[in-house]
Amino acid sequence: FSHDQLHVLHRAASNSNSHNSTTGTPFDSLSQAENRLRNVTKSIGRRIPKTPSRILDAPELVDDYYLNLVSWSESNVLAVALGQCVYLWEAETGNIKHLLTLREETDFVTSVSWVRDKGNSHYIAVGTNHNIVQLWDAE
């Protein structure tokens, strides 16, 4: 949401709370506030597509809730860890780059994260199952 949209949502919620503070239960005013927020959201016209714009194949994506295997950079590059490898997908061009493959067969990538520091956003941290963190320059 933009700042103006959030202001509209906040105003709708505060108006509904002030009108119903003397009558009914707190749950009544909450449900009315939720309804007003839904109506405001509908009037803003936010559209969520019903079909994906792009599907990326991800074989060997480790199925574990606690792993961080995907990270999106400020420069619009998606890093994806697939087993022992890390790949970079450039959203603007669609190019795919193989960044690394771990050497040991018993090791696999457990996390990827782009550096969020201005001017250094081309660096990516890669964590492994053997408790090692590597810092890579993706350029």
Side-chain angles (χ1 to χ4, degrees), residues 1-15 37 40 44:
F1 289 110
S2 72
H3 175 70
D4 293 335
Q5 291 168 332
L6 290 176
H7 181 69
V8 169
L9 292 174
H10 175 71
R11 189 174 61 222
S14 62
N15 286 344
L37 285 174
V40 168
I44 291 173

Side-chain angles (χ1 to χ4, degrees), residues 39-52:
N39 291 337
V40 168
T41 304
K42 287 178 185 176
S43 68
I44 291 173
R46 182 172 177 206
R47 184 175 119 19
I48 299 173
K50 295 187 186 332
T51 59

Side-chain angles (χ1 to χ4, degrees), residues 46-134:
R46 182 172 177 206
R47 184 175 119 19
I48 299 173
K50 295 187 186 332
T51 59
S53 60
R54 185 153 319 197
I55 297 174
L56 301 175
D57 189 26
E60 297 185 39
L61 185 70
V62 179
D63 186 15
D64 187 332
Y65 175 80
Y66 296 100
L67 303 183
N68 298 306
L69 303 176
V70 177
S71 182
W72 201 285
S73 77
E74 292 178 359
S75 57
N76 212 14
V77 177
L78 181 69
V80 180
L82 301 175
Q84 294 180 298
C85 301
V86 175
Y87 294 92
L88 306 177
W89 177 70
E90 297 178 18
E92 293 174 6
T93 63
N95 293 335
I96 298 173
K97 175 183 171 185
H98 176 259
L99 181 67
L100 69 98
T101 299
L102 299 175
R103 292 184 182 168
E104 294 187 40
E105 289 185 25
T106 59
D107 204 4
F108 59 91
V109 178
T110 56
S111 63
V112 292
S113 182
W114 291 98
V115 172
R116 305 269 186 243
D117 187 30
K118 292 281 186 192
N120 292 317
S121 61
H122 54 92
Y123 292 109
I124 185 168
V126 178
T128 73
N129 189 46
H130 288 176
N131 303 321
I132 297 172
V133 177
Q134 303 174 2

